[in-house]
Structure formats: structure tokens, C-alpha cells
Amino acid sequence: MKIAVLGGGNGSFAAAGDFALSGHEVRLWRRDTDQVVAHRAAGSRILVKDHNGRHDTQLALVTADMAEAVSGAELILCPAPAFAQPDIARSLAPHLRDGQVVFLPPATFGSMIFAKAARDAGNHARASFAETGTLPWLTRKHGPFEVAITIRAKRLPVGVFPLDQAPHALEVIGRAFPDAIEPCGDALSGALMNAGPIIHPPLIVMNAGPIEHFEKWDIHKEGTQGAIRRATDALDAERIAVREALGYGAPHFPLAHHYAKEGEIWMYGRGSHDRLTDSGDWRERIVLTEHRYMREDLRLGLSLLVSVAGLAGVDTPLAKAFLAIGSAICGEDFARGGRTLEALGLGNLGKAELQTLLRKGF
């Protein structure tokens, strides 16, 4: 299968390396031409480290040319942070062709940004856009061309835009992630599966003191205490209430299952939290005003949740509180500058009109 991976961060390297390890033809697009030159000089390879050892993988292409990267690709995967999506979407928009599937894992409703960018570019190709609830890999780069994969996702709830094209999109994505894909409806349902805005805002806000005091801090180990977990569960209950008010059914993938020793298996499977903390890769320096946990998950993710909750008629006091505290930490109004339905150009739509758009497309 021909797959294009967009980006040069942890998730993009894990995707490119893991897909190559599985025998797919992988093209990696990176925005930075100097990094592309260096990667090509190193043989266009990625060293993947996982529980089975070290694997030297060969990419078909590393390029800064978007047209070259996505030409003929059946699947285009973009695991870049949500705040990078608008620029990447504009670069990709003119090059999409019929049948191509753009998969954003996860996306904070970024599927709409990519779809609108194609429409605004005058590209009427019958492409589809999908998003899921988490990055399919718990991963960190260990060097310029080396990535460690601690966990591979076991269950990926996927929503598709437009929903009418879901059978084709899910079939293509399923070939890249065998036995992991679970349809969850439209793209907004997929966006409301995103775990990042639920797990990270309580961890960074309620651990702000030690994060700023210590050189490195593992928010998933020392930072995940009972009081914080209770706040996380309450925040997650607001997300699930919004899903239910919009008519989305179970499973809702409550974050509590990520930590549980029994019961329903979460996206990363059983025991993933312990393997994450045991790896040591998440003991890191976090600059609160700059890190993606703040800029992506809190600023964009919670502003989207609060905005959609308003449409659904659901109160979200904790989401609003974390949004307000994040705004105070960064000296910005995240509620106004985040990813609201208004910011996405959808603020004039009622619930029924939005659901029609999500089903049929533009």
C-alpha cells in the first residue's frame, strides 16, 4: 500500500517507520528542506525501537515537495499537532485526488480544516477525511532518525467526513491498521473521542508547580495522583455528556479504562499506562506556555469541547475552568482564540444543519 506521512515529529516518525516495517511503500513529507537533505544523506531510513528490538526501516522517499509525497498515495496520514493543521492543509489541498483518504490521528475536528482547505482551493476531488481519538503509537524520537514505540493502539474509533464515504475510507485506513479500526460515525464523533484534551489539561494545570520547579517532570507518573484522576474523570464525563446529547452512542471510550486493570479495554490496551511510565520517555521538560499539551490539547481541544457543548445544550464547568486557567497562565483568551465552531466557519449552523453537512459534505 502506498502511504504518505506528513510531518517530522514523534508521531510522524513512528508512523513512517512502523508502516515501512509492515511492508508499505512510505513517503515522508517534511516542511524543513534542511532536515530533508540531512535525512536523505542518512539514507532515508528510520530506526524503530520497540519491545521486539531494533529495526532499520527504509522509506521510499523523503521530500519537502507535497505533490511528490502524495501522488498516487491511497492513504495520507498527518499526525502533526492540531495547531500545525491549517498550514499543512493549505499545502495539501491542491494535490488531493479521487479516492484518497486523509487520516488525522487525532485531530480536534481538523478533518473540517483539511476538507475546507480543499474546497477553498477549488479542488473538488472525491477525497475523504477521518480522525480518531488518539495517536496510534505511544512514542518518542530518540534521535534525528530514530524513534521508540512503547505501545501500538489496539482500538481506534474513527469518524469520517463526509460520512457517506465512510465505507471506502474505513477500508483504506483498516489496511494500514489491521483489526484496530472501529467506526464511530461522523467526523465530529471522532473529534469527541480525542483523549488529549481530557488527559493533559488536568495533568499540566494541577501539576503546574512541580512542572515549573523541576528540570524534568513525569506528569503520567508522579503527576497522576488520586485527586487529579478524579478531576479527569469529571472532565471526561462532560465530554461523554456532549456526545450523548448529540446522539452519538457507546462505546464512548472513557479515559478511566486507560488506567483500569479490568473491564473494557481502552484504545492502547491493558497495562499501557504502566508501560508508558516504565519507559521513562515521558520524564521531560515542559514549558507550560509553549508545550503542545497547552497549545493543542487545552487551548484548541477544550475550546472545541466547550463550543460544541453550547450547541448541544450541555454545561461544561470543568472544561471552562481549565480553559480559563490556561488562559491566565499564557496571558491569552483561549475561549476566543481557540478552535470553536465559529472559528471553523460552522458557527451559523444548527444541530440538524451541522449533522447534514457532516453526512453529505460540502
Side-chain angles (χ1 to χ4, degrees):
M1 182 179 183
K2 294 182 179 179
I3 302 176
V5 176
L6 310 183
N10 297 312
S12 298
F13 263 57
D18 211 26
F19 288 148
L21 188 62
S22 297
H24 298 292
E25 180 186 314
V26 182
R27 305 170 194 170
L28 178 64
W29 173 85
R30 305 185 67 176
R31 191 180 343 222
D32 191 313
T33 54
D34 290 340
Q35 291 178 342
V36 167
V37 170
H39 203 160
R40 284 178 169 176
S44 298
R45 310 185 78 84
I46 292 179
L47 179 66
V48 176
K49 299 190 295 185
D50 62 12
H51 68 282
N52 287 322
R54 300 163 64 89
H55 317 276
D56 187 24
T57 66
Q58 177 68 58
L59 306 184
L61 177 70
V62 179
T63 181
D65 184 327
M66 182 67 79
E68 185 180 32
V70 304
S71 177
E74 298 169 82
L75 177 66
I76 300 167
L77 185 131
C78 181
F83 49 74
Q85 290 169 350
D87 286 343
I88 297 175
R90 284 190 291 269
S91 296
L92 173 64
H95 308 294
L96 288 172
R97 298 294 179 262
D98 287 348
Q100 289 186 312
V101 179
V102 180
F103 187 36
L104 310 167
T108 319
F109 214 18
S111 51
M112 299 304 298
I113 290 175
F114 278 76
K116 287 185 68 178
R119 182 197 64 177
D120 293 345
N123 186 344
H124 302 293
R126 192 173 170 81
S128 49
F129 307 85
E131 53 188 279
T132 187
T134 191
L135 188 68
W137 307 267
L138 284 176
T139 183
R140 283 292 187 269
K141 290 172 71 174
H142 279 188
F145 316 114
E146 182 176 318
V147 67
I149 296 176
T150 301
I151 294 282
R152 292 173 174 87
K154 304 294 190 295
R155 303 176 68 192
L156 291 171
V158 176
V160 179
F161 178 82
L163 184 58
D164 287 350
Q165 294 182 28
H168 170 70
L170 293 168
E171 187 276 329
V172 171
I173 299 168
R175 281 190 275 137
F177 298 97
D179 304 319
I181 300 304
E182 298 186 23
C184 72
D186 61 39
L188 182 55
S189 176
L192 291 171
M193 289 294 192
N194 192 350
I198 305 303
I199 190 171
H200 292 137
L203 288 179
I204 61 169
V205 167
M206 299 176 75
N207 283 288
I211 285 173
E212 292 201 330
H213 176 75
F214 294 106
E215 179 64 24
K216 293 184 178 181
W217 181 258
D218 190 335
I219 59 173
H220 296 287
K221 194 164 189 174
E222 295 91 347
T224 303
Q225 302 304 324
I228 297 173
R229 282 280 298 105
R230 291 191 291 276
T232 303
D233 286 345
L235 179 61
D236 203 25
E238 294 180 358
R239 174 189 69 89
I240 293 172
V242 172
R243 286 184 51 80
E244 291 176 337
L246 292 173
Y248 299 125
H252 298 295
F253 288 83
L255 188 61
H257 292 165
H258 169 59
Y259 300 98
K261 305 296 183 185
E262 57 185 22
E264 185 179 338
I265 292 177
W266 198 68
M267 300 183 203
Y268 287 130
R270 190 78 69 219
S272 56
H273 178 72
D274 292 338
R275 289 172 64 181
L276 181 153
T277 55
D278 289 347
S279 73
D281 281 346
W282 280 260
R283 183 170 299 284
E284 56 192 346
R285 181 170 182 261
I286 296 175
V287 179
L288 279 176
T289 56
E290 301 174 6
H291 200 277
R292 74 166 187 84
Y293 294 158
M294 180 70 78
R295 291 287 162 185
E296 176 180 25
D297 293 325
L298 196 153
R299 175 176 173 265
L300 299 183
L302 289 187
S303 61
L304 176 68
L305 179 60
V306 169
S307 177
V308 175
L311 179 69
V314 174
D315 192 22
T316 52
L318 265 179
K320 291 176 181 176
F322 282 119
L323 200 59
I325 296 171
S327 298
I329 291 171
C330 294
E332 302 175 27
D333 187 349
F334 286 174
R336 290 182 178 272
R339 185 167 291 181
T340 61
L341 290 174
E342 289 77 13
L344 290 168
L346 305 173
N348 62 328
L349 300 181
K351 188 190 302 186
E353 293 171 308
L354 179 58
Q355 290 171 335
T356 298
L357 172 65
L358 291 171
R359 185 175 67 255
K360 296 184 176 181
F362 293 113

